Amino acid sequence: IGKREDHRTEQCGIENLRIVSTFDKSKVKKDTKRSDIFSLIDLEHARTGIELSKTKDCWVRGVTVQYVAQTAVQVSQSIRVTVQDCAMIDPVGVTQGGTKYSFVNAGQLCLFQRLYSRNARHDYTLAPRTGGPNVFLHCFSDGSITASESHHRYGHGALYDSCILRGDGIFLAVNRGESGSGHGWSSGMVIFWNCGAVLTAVMEPPTSQNFSIGWSGSPSMLEQSERHAKKIRNWLGSVSLKGGAVLGDGHIEFPDQLVKPHSLYLQQLRDRLGVEAVKNIAVPWQWEALDSEKSGRLNEPVFRLLP
């Protein structure tokens, strides 16, 4: 058997861009699911800001994408890609399946960190059958509509670390049953670490496990948890809330408070390669938080990429 050649593009980066899709407002109708202007219907314009396909050791940094119908940054058939300090702002398109996935990863050994999303459906998503490890670290969203998750068909080996969804966004690692195109089990070995949302649901798939450890939501989120739990009862059956905003028969610890270390990914990076390795990929507030005794919650983005 001969050695297979790897022809993927490597050592390339895209930095410091603003991508704005122009859409025809004269064709637009009001979306029946959202009344705000950013859910208007026009699909005859740009769908994706940046796609990295068949790449390795590449990166996207400091890119803001506005008004596209689908995705700010999508990674596919790629390995060792970093996407950081990017934003998806106000996607324009019908609010239903197939649109408004802010950041999508179908690669392996990829790091998505310090991202921001506004008024999107699936903010931070693993594509079907995506193998890990992959990490979403310190990602925030406003006006989130639905789940950040490994979307369907057993994506696995993902860490969502200290991510916050505000609005109706939830974190899921469940059996989606016949949802969509017949999604089935969405994920295995997915960890939500110190994440915050109105609801986090983790279920235990056969021969595997999903985890929710720590929670960094706000009191206002707790007021909405039960309402959102009712929306997904058809997937979860009679499984009840285990305190706070976390639900499921998966592995759940500390469903209503932060745990230490603040970031599992950064702590493990420091343990393996030392503090300088953390400083190489983190901004000061990230690595300083590792040793902080403060109990404050990261409910406000500490970076600004908005218009």
Side-chain angles (χ1 to χ4, degrees):
I1 299 175
K3 182 178 180 181
R4 183 179 182 275
E5 295 185 6
D6 189 344
H7 296 290
R8 285 181 287 195
T9 301
E10 58 184 305
Q11 296 290 335
C12 292
I14 301 171
E15 300 185 0
N16 303 323
L17 290 180
R18 186 175 193 84
I19 300 171
V20 181
S21 178
T22 300
F23 59 97
D24 188 348
K25 294 183 179 180
S26 69
K27 296 181 180 179
V28 168
K29 303 179 197 176
K30 285 288 184 182
D31 192 318
T32 58
K33 295 186 179 180
R34 292 288 295 271
S35 60
D36 57 289
I37 190 172
F38 300 116
S39 288
L40 301 177
I41 301 172
D42 175 16
L43 293 178
E44 296 181 6
H45 65 107
R47 293 185 61 84
T48 302
I50 295 171
E51 181 176 2
L52 274 64
S53 179
K54 302 181 179 69
T55 67
K56 63 180 179 180
D57 301 312
C58 294
W59 68 92
V60 180
R61 178 170 63 187
V63 174
T64 297
V65 180
Q66 192 169 16
Y67 302 145
V68 300
Q70 176 72 3
T71 304
V73 181
Q74 179 164 329
V75 175
S76 60
Q77 301 182 62
S78 298
I79 188 169
R80 298 189 299 272
V81 169
T82 298
V83 180
Q84 67 181 38
D85 302 317
C86 295
M88 168 74 150
I89 307 297
D90 304 332
V92 173
V94 60
T95 305
Q96 65 182 32
T99 64
K100 303 182 180 180
Y101 294 68
S102 296
F103 296 92
V104 179
N105 180 26
Q108 189 173 31
L109 294 167
C110 297
L111 171 63
F112 285 62
Q113 70 161 338
R114 300 192 301 270
L115 306 179
Y116 180 74
S117 172
R118 188 173 75 187
N119 290 334
R121 294 178 61 248
H122 298 285
D123 297 295
Y124 310 108
T125 308
L126 291 178
R129 297 177 292 274
T130 297
N134 290 292
V135 178
F136 288 96
L137 171 64
H138 287 130
C139 297
F140 298 85
S141 69
D142 283 311
S144 182
I145 299 172
T146 186
S148 287
E149 60 183 346
S150 174
H151 195 46
H152 53 85
R153 294 175 174 87
Y154 263 122
H156 62 277
L159 169 64
Y160 286 79
D161 191 335
S162 306
C163 297
I164 305 290
L165 306 179
R166 289 174 293 197
D168 291 331
I170 60 180
F171 291 108
L172 290 182
V174 301
N175 185 349
R176 297 173 63 92
E178 294 300 315
S179 176
S181 54
H183 290 176
W185 277 101
S186 64
S187 53
M189 299 306 292
V190 168
I191 301 173
F192 300 111
W193 182 275
N194 276 342
C195 290
V198 293
L199 184 70
T200 299
V202 290
M203 296 180 67
E204 180 181 2
T207 74
S208 188
Q209 185 58 281
N210 292 303
F211 304 80
S212 176
I213 302 175
W215 187 73
S216 58
S218 64
S220 63
M221 289 179 177
L222 289 173
E223 298 172 1
Q224 304 296 323
S225 298
E226 186 59 36
R227 177 171 64 87
H228 284 79
K230 291 179 180 178
K231 295 179 181 179
I232 59 172
R233 288 296 186 195
N234 58 319
W235 298 336
L236 303 174
S238 60
V239 175
S240 61
L241 285 170
K242 291 188 177 180
V246 183
L247 174 152
D249 61 359
H251 185 96
I252 297 172
E253 294 183 33
F254 302 101
D256 55 3
Q257 66 185 76
L258 288 165
V259 297
K260 291 183 180 180
H262 167 70
S263 166
L264 180 61
Y265 175 77
L266 294 179
Q267 181 64 52
Q268 290 182 335
L269 179 62
R270 182 167 67 175
D271 291 344
R272 287 189 300 112
L273 300 176
V275 69
E276 289 304 315
V278 176
K279 292 182 178 181
N280 284 339
I281 63 103
V283 293
W285 65 263
Q286 285 179 297
W287 52 264
E288 288 172 358
L290 278 176
D291 297 314
S292 175
E293 296 298 323
K294 297 179 180 180
S295 60
R297 302 180 186 275
L298 289 174
N299 280 323
E300 294 298 328
V302 294
F303 57 95
R304 295 294 175 188
L305 295 168
L306 302 183

